[in-house]
């Protein structure tokens, strides 16, 4: 049972909220539903206006297309040249335009009449449903308010009877106290007190019975009110909103589906017409049109007669002749030209075995040695003045890139400029369309196989240069985490220079396809191009100046030659995974031995007894008094030798892996504990 205090609290809560809050909330609900129907009617009105104006535009466009078609149909009929393939293209184009005009006229009629009429009906239905739903909703709200009013009445009755009960019980207790004081007095007083006690007991029983009935009535009304509130807010409100929206979304769906069907029909008609037009364009036949023209006008183009030789005044010679001396000079000159041509051809093919152009090989070698880590290589433009100087030096037969003083971006610009200036381009014109069709293939393996089938038909010199170039671009993309040149970025830089069509008008439209094709060839170059065993010739080497001895592990200690090599110590600042057999892999904090500089970006050195190339950007070279921390937190390095005792710092370094350079003159950071141990050791 609910305790008395809880009943009193609930009663006061209902008495406080029901009259004002509930009625105001129900009024707000009606206002919100009214505003929603206004929004829906405005949406239907706006959509109807849009479709009407769209229909007017479509109808006007259809009339314009129809006038255009009639005008040029009349012109082409006058020319009477329908036997030619060009006129056939005209016929297909005009037919396709006429069909397009009809479809747009049908769309305009649908928008102006059918769809707007449906929306008008939907507006009327929405208003009618809202009006009926509002009436039902107000009726449900009245029933809810009636239940809450009954609850308030029961609450007031219960409070009144409970108050009377408390008063009767108080009077009974007072009578009991008086009875105790009259004990031992006269018989009349005792009888009088007995009658009073009997009367008070009867009053208490009567008021308790009424209070119990009032409480039960209040509890029943409370349960009924809660049930009514739950039903209204959890079921009736949702049902009421659904009734207001009944048919609205379905009407919108049907209208938009009808509109979409008309648009899809127009698109399908256009696609069919474009395919027919493409077939007509493909069937353009210059030779056939020429033969048809000659046959149609046979009398105008037939051979009239043959000219005969008429000797002058008895001359009997009737053939071309020359003096023997002139004939000899002509034959001698002809033989000299043939010999010179053969010598020049042989010299071009065999001089120093140069199958890769000098400018291509020199620029790639320079970038290989100095620019693989250079951010924005091929994307950042170089100095135009330096580009011109390098290009002029190559044209004179010199190699200006024999030293490392040239600007990397300018060298990259020279390489791009060379391929951009090729005429015809590196990829033949007749393969342009075939290669771009390969882009539509979904699978990368199938796409690469189709590209390989096309590329394999190219002449051998082109194949060798392409194999060399794309292997180099693939190598550059392997360092994209540093140079920011992913395969797609390289394709954007090189695509327009390598692959061009005869028609420059569609170059911009087809540029995404060109970029995708070149990107695929960079990634799949080893599949697309033949290997050296399949096609002998020069191939790109990832490390052109690497000596073989730096790739072999050290098997003997105390090698006399290695003992005399200069050595520097370095610590790995980051993890590095070798990208080729010539490079070395290492972990953060590893100790490395450096022998010499291979280029501005590479060291020759060794890690764990294995020699190879070490990237400069991943290490920190230590001087004689430097210390560094390994990932475990311990110090490694070389301390300066001294006749006195040396100080070794044993630390707990919170920022693991961060190099620390400090000595007695430079104290360690605050987050490092330093324990100084005196020892005679000079090295850690």
């Amino acid at each position: 049972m609910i305790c008395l205090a809880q009943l009193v609290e609930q009663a006061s809560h209902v008495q406080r909220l029901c009259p004002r809050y509930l009625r105001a909330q129900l009024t707000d609900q009606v206002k919100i539903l009214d505003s929603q129907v206004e929004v829906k009617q405005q949406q239907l009105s706006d959509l109807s206006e849009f479709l009407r104006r769209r229909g007017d535009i479509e109808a006007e466009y259809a009339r314009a297309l129809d006038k255009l078609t009639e005008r040029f149909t009349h012109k082409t009929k006058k020319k009477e040249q329908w036997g030619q393939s060009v006129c056939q293209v005209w016929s297909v184009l005009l037919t396709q335009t006429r069909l397009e005009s009809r479809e747009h006229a049908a769309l305009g009629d649908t928008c102006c009449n059918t769809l707007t009429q449906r929306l008008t009906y939907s507006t009327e239905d929405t208003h009618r449903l809202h009006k009926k739903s509002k009436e039902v909703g107000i009726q449900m709200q009245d029933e809810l308010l009636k239940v809450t009013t009954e609850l308030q009445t029961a609450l007031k009755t219960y409070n009144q009877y409970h108050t009377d009960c408390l008063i009767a019980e108080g009077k009974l207790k007072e009578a009991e106290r008086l009875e105790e004081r009259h004990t031992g007095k006269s018989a009349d007083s005792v009888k009088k007190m007995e009658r009073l006690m009997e009367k008070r007991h009867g009053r208490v029983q009567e008021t308790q019975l009424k209070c119990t009935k009032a409480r039960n009535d209040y509890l029943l009304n409370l349960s009924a009110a809660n049930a009514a509130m739950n039903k209204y807010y959890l079921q009736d409100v949702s049902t009421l909103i659904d009734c207001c929206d009944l048919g609205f979304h379905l009407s919108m769906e049907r209208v938009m589906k009808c509109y979409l069907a008309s648009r899809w029909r127009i698109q399908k008609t256009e696609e069919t017409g474009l395919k027919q037009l493409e077939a007509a364009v493909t069937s353009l036949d210059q030779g056939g049109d020429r033969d048809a023209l000659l046959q149609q006008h046979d009398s105008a183009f037939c051979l009239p007669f043959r000219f005969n030789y008429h000797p002058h005044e008895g001359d009997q010679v009737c053939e071309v002749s020359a003096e023997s001396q002139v004939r000899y000079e002509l034959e001698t000159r002809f033989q000299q030209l043939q010999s010179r041509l053969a010598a020049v051809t042989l010299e071009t093919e065999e001089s120093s075995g140069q199958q890769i152009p000098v400018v291509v090989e020199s620029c790639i070698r320079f970038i290989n040695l100095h620019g693989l880590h250079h951010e924005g290589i091929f994307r950042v433009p170089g100095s135009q003045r330096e580009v011109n100087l390098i290009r002029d030096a190559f044209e004179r037969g010199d190699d200006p890139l024999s030293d490392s003083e040239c600007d990397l971006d300018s060298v990259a610009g020279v390489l791009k400029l060379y391929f951009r200036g090729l005429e015809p381009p590196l990829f033949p014109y007749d393969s342009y369309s075939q290669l771009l069709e390969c882009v539509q293939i979904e699978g990368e393996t199938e796409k690469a196989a189709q590209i390989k089938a096309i590329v394999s038909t190219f002449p051998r010199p082109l194949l060798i240069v392409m194999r060399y170039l794309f292997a180099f671009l693939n190598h550059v993309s392997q360092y994209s985490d540093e140079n920011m040149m992913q395969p797609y970025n390289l394709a954007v830089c090189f695509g327009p220079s390598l692959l061009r069509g005869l028609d420059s008008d569609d170059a911009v439209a087809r540029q995404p396809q060109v970029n995708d094709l070149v990107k695929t060839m960079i990634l799949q170059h080893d599949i697309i191009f033949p290997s050296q065993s399949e096609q002998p010739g020069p191939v790109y080497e990832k490390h052109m100046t690497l000596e073989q001895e730096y790739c072999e592990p050290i098997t003997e200690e105390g090698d006399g030659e290695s003992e005399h090599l200069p050595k520097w110590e370095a610590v790995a600042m980051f993890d590095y995974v070798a990208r080729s057999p010539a490079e070395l892999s290492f972990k953060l904090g590893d100790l490395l031995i450096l022998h010499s500089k291979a280029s501005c970006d590479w060291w020759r050195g060794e890690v764990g007894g294995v020699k190879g190339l070490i990237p400069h950007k991943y290490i920190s070279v230590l001087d004689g008094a430097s210390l560094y921390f390994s990932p475990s937190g311990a110090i490694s390095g070389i301390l300066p030798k001294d006749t006195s005792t040396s100080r070794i710092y044993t630390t707990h370094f919170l920022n693991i892996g961060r190099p620390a350079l400090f000595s007695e003159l430079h104290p360690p950071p605050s987050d490092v504990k330093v324990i100084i141990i005196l020892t005679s050791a000079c090295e850690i």
Side-chain angles (χ1 to χ4, degrees):
M1 294 183 64
I2 302 176
C3 67
L4 184 60
Q6 291 178 340
L7 291 176
V8 174
E9 183 180 357
Q10 290 180 2
S12 61
H13 179 71
V14 172
Q15 187 176 8
R16 183 176 64 253
L17 293 182
C18 282
R20 296 190 300 273
Y21 176 77
L22 183 59
R23 191 176 296 275
Q25 189 182 38
L26 296 178
T27 303
D28 290 340
Q29 291 176 4
V30 174
K31 292 180 180 180
I32 291 173
L33 293 178
D34 289 340
S35 64
Q36 284 298 307
V37 74
E38 292 177 1
V39 171
K40 288 186 284 188
Q41 288 178 343
Q42 186 62 42
Q43 289 174 343
L44 293 173
S45 177
D46 292 342
L47 182 58
S48 178
E49 180 66 16
F50 170 82
L51 292 175
R52 186 184 64 78
R53 294 191 179 187
R54 178 61 186 260
D56 294 340
I57 294 173
E58 294 289 343
E60 183 179 354
Y61 179 60
R63 287 193 295 270
L65 288 179
D66 191 58
K67 289 180 180 179
L68 180 67
T69 305
E70 292 299 328
R71 177 183 177 185
F72 283 94
T73 301
H74 183 68
K75 282 187 176 182
T76 52
K77 283 183 178 179
K78 288 183 177 180
K79 297 180 180 180
E80 296 181 355
Q81 294 179 348
W82 293 103
Q84 298 184 6
S85 59
V86 176
C87 295
Q88 182 64 24
V89 172
W90 260 109
S91 175
V92 175
L93 178 61
L94 294 176
T95 302
Q96 187 266 340
T97 307
R98 190 178 293 108
L99 291 175
E100 185 179 357
S101 172
R102 293 175 183 173
E103 292 296 338
H104 281 282
L107 176 60
D109 181 69
T110 301
C111 291
C112 289
N113 299 320
T114 306
L115 299 184
T116 54
Q117 188 175 8
R118 289 184 182 180
L119 291 174
T120 302
Y121 294 154
S122 297
T123 304
E124 296 175 355
D125 293 340
T126 301
H127 179 73
R128 185 169 57 255
L129 286 172
H130 173 71
K131 183 178 179 181
K132 186 64 177 176
S133 300
K134 183 177 180 181
E135 294 176 356
V136 175
I138 292 175
Q139 183 179 357
M140 288 189 296
Q141 291 180 357
D142 292 341
E143 293 176 356
L144 183 62
L145 290 174
K146 180 180 178 181
V147 172
T148 55
T149 302
E150 292 176 353
L151 175 62
Q152 285 183 315
T153 304
L155 174 61
K156 291 179 181 179
T157 303
Y158 162 67
N159 290 339
Q160 180 63 39
Y161 284 125
H162 185 261
T163 302
D164 295 343
C165 182
L166 293 177
I167 293 173
E169 289 177 353
K171 290 181 178 181
L172 177 61
K173 291 179 181 180
E174 184 180 356
E176 289 176 351
R177 287 195 299 270
L178 290 174
E179 184 181 10
E180 291 177 356
R181 286 197 294 267
H182 284 79
T183 303
K185 292 186 178 181
S186 62
D188 293 336
S189 295
V190 172
K191 290 181 180 180
K192 186 176 180 180
M193 289 303 301
E194 288 178 354
R195 287 194 299 270
L196 180 62
M197 288 296 296
E198 183 179 357
K199 181 180 178 181
R200 297 290 173 88
H201 275 293
R203 180 60 179 171
V204 168
Q205 291 176 357
E206 181 183 358
T207 54
Q208 285 181 348
L209 179 60
K210 291 182 179 179
C211 181
T212 302
K213 291 182 179 179
R215 184 190 302 113
N216 292 337
D217 186 52
Y218 168 64
L219 290 173
L220 292 174
N221 279 277
L222 184 63
S223 300
N226 288 330
M229 294 286 285
N230 289 337
K231 180 178 181 300
Y232 177 78
Y233 281 93
L234 299 181
Q235 299 179 11
D236 295 345
V237 171
S238 299
T239 304
L240 186 62
I241 296 174
D242 291 340
C243 290
C244 292
D245 291 340
L246 184 63
F248 175 74
H249 295 83
L250 181 61
S251 299
M252 289 288 293
E253 181 182 1
R254 288 179 177 177
V255 169
M256 295 310 300
K257 281 187 176 181
C258 182
Y259 176 76
L260 286 173
S262 300
R263 293 296 303 274
W264 283 119
R265 186 167 57 251
I266 291 177
Q267 183 176 351
K268 185 176 181 180
T269 302
E270 290 180 353
E271 290 179 355
T272 303
L274 290 176
K275 289 180 180 179
Q276 294 175 354
L277 184 60
E278 183 181 12
V281 171
T282 306
S283 63
L284 284 173
D285 184 9
Q286 180 181 357
D289 291 348
R290 179 200 61 209
D291 296 341
L293 181 64
L294 292 175
Q295 185 176 3
Q296 185 176 1
H297 303 280
D298 181 67
S299 60
F301 292 103
C302 67
L303 182 64
F305 54 84
R306 177 182 177 83
F307 293 101
N308 295 321
Y309 175 68
H310 297 282
H312 181 262
E313 296 181 356
D315 188 5
Q316 300 299 321
V317 179
C318 60
E319 62 181 9
V320 178
S321 61
E323 295 295 333
S324 58
Q325 183 177 359
V326 176
R327 180 187 296 272
Y328 175 76
E329 291 178 357
L330 291 176
E331 291 178 350
T332 303
R333 182 59 178 164
F334 176 71
Q335 293 176 357
Q336 290 176 351
L337 290 175
Q338 279 191 327
S339 301
R340 178 57 180 164
L341 179 61
V344 169
T345 303
L346 183 62
E347 180 181 356
T348 302
E349 294 179 350
E350 297 182 357
S351 60
S352 68
Q354 191 68 42
Q355 300 183 56
I356 305 297
V358 177
V359 59
V360 175
E361 185 177 13
S362 183
C363 290
I364 288 179
R365 181 190 300 110
F366 188 88
I367 296 172
N368 175 284
L369 296 176
H370 309 287
L372 293 177
H373 301 271
H374 182 67
E375 183 174 348
I377 188 71
F378 294 117
R379 178 173 53 83
V380 178
S383 168
Q384 187 60 42
R385 177 178 176 275
E386 189 163 355
V387 169
N388 294 336
L389 291 175
I390 297 174
R391 181 194 61 189
D392 295 341
F394 277 118
E395 291 179 353
R396 292 193 303 268
D398 301 331
D399 187 356
L401 306 181
S402 56
D403 54 35
S404 60
E405 298 299 326
C406 298
D407 176 57
L408 271 170
D409 294 321
S410 301
V411 174
V414 171
L415 182 61
K416 291 192 297 183
L417 181 63
Y418 171 78
F419 286 108
R420 190 184 308 124
L422 290 180
E423 189 58 41
L426 185 63
F427 287 83
Y429 284 123
D430 54 2
S431 65
Y432 181 73
S433 299
Q434 297 177 357
L435 288 171
L436 292 189
E437 289 176 359
C438 299
V439 178
Q440 307 300 327
I441 302 176
E442 295 293 337
E444 292 296 327
T445 305
E446 294 78 3
K447 185 189 299 185
Q450 185 62 27
I451 296 174
K452 179 178 182 179
I454 298 173
V455 170
S456 61
T457 62
F458 292 173
R460 177 180 176 274
L462 285 183
L463 269 179
I464 292 177
V465 174
M466 289 180 184
R467 179 177 65 184
Y468 195 89
L469 174 64
F470 280 95
F472 163 68
L473 295 179
N474 179 271
H475 189 204
V476 173
S477 69
Q478 294 177 12
Y479 296 85
S480 60
D481 55 340
E482 300 174 56
N483 57 35
M484 303 302 174
M485 295 303 292
Q486 290 82 7
Y488 182 79
N489 296 340
L490 293 171
V492 171
C493 295
F494 277 89
S497 302
L498 302 177
L499 198 64
R500 301 191 296 272
L502 290 173
D503 186 5
S504 60
D505 294 338
D506 63 345
V508 176
R510 294 202 172 191
Q511 191 57 45
Q513 296 173 278
V514 172
N515 295 342
D516 194 359
L517 175 69
V518 176
K519 172 189 171 184
T520 301
M521 298 184 72
I522 292 175
L523 293 173
Q524 307 289 341
H525 75 98
D526 52 345
I527 299 177
I528 295 174
F529 297 103
S531 62
Q532 192 175 21
S533 60
E534 297 172 341
Q535 185 67 266
V539 294
Y540 171 74
E541 298 177 0
K542 290 190 175 182
H543 295 283
M544 297 181 173
T545 62
L546 179 66
E547 299 175 7
Q548 185 64 27
E549 61 175 344
Y550 280 93
C551 299
E552 298 175 355
I554 299 175
T555 56
E556 297 182 1
E557 296 183 358
D559 187 1
E561 184 178 354
S562 61
E563 288 178 355
H564 297 289
L565 289 175
K567 294 183 179 180
W568 295 270
E569 288 191 335
V571 60
M573 305 295 294
F574 310 96
D575 292 345
Y576 182 76
V577 179
R579 296 179 173 92
S580 71
E583 302 174 10
L584 296 178
S585 299
F586 47 81
K587 297 291 185 180
L588 170 69
D590 286 353
L591 182 64
L592 302 90
I593 305 299
L594 308 179
H595 294 164
S596 63
K597 268 267 191 167
S599 68
C600 61
D601 291 325
W602 294 93
W603 286 86
R604 296 185 180 91
E606 60 182 81
V607 178
V610 179
K611 294 182 178 180
L613 290 181
I614 300 173
H616 176 70
K617 292 185 178 181
Y618 284 76
I619 64 174
S620 175
V621 182
L622 302 176
D623 55 23
S626 298
L627 300 177
Y628 73 94
F629 290 92
S630 67
S632 62
I635 296 181
S636 300
I638 303 299
L639 292 179
K641 295 184 179 181
D642 193 358
T643 56
S644 61
T645 59
S646 299
R647 301 181 187 273
I648 301 179
Y649 295 86
T650 303
T651 70
H652 173 66
F653 197 31
L654 298 182
N655 298 327
I656 299 301
R658 192 182 73 181
L661 302 177
F662 58 86
S663 61
E664 292 177 302
L665 298 179
H666 297 83
S670 59
D671 58 351
V672 178
K673 283 187 199 173
V674 179
I675 302 174
I676 302 176
I677 303 174
L678 299 180
T679 178
S680 60
C682 295
E683 294 186 358
I684 297 177

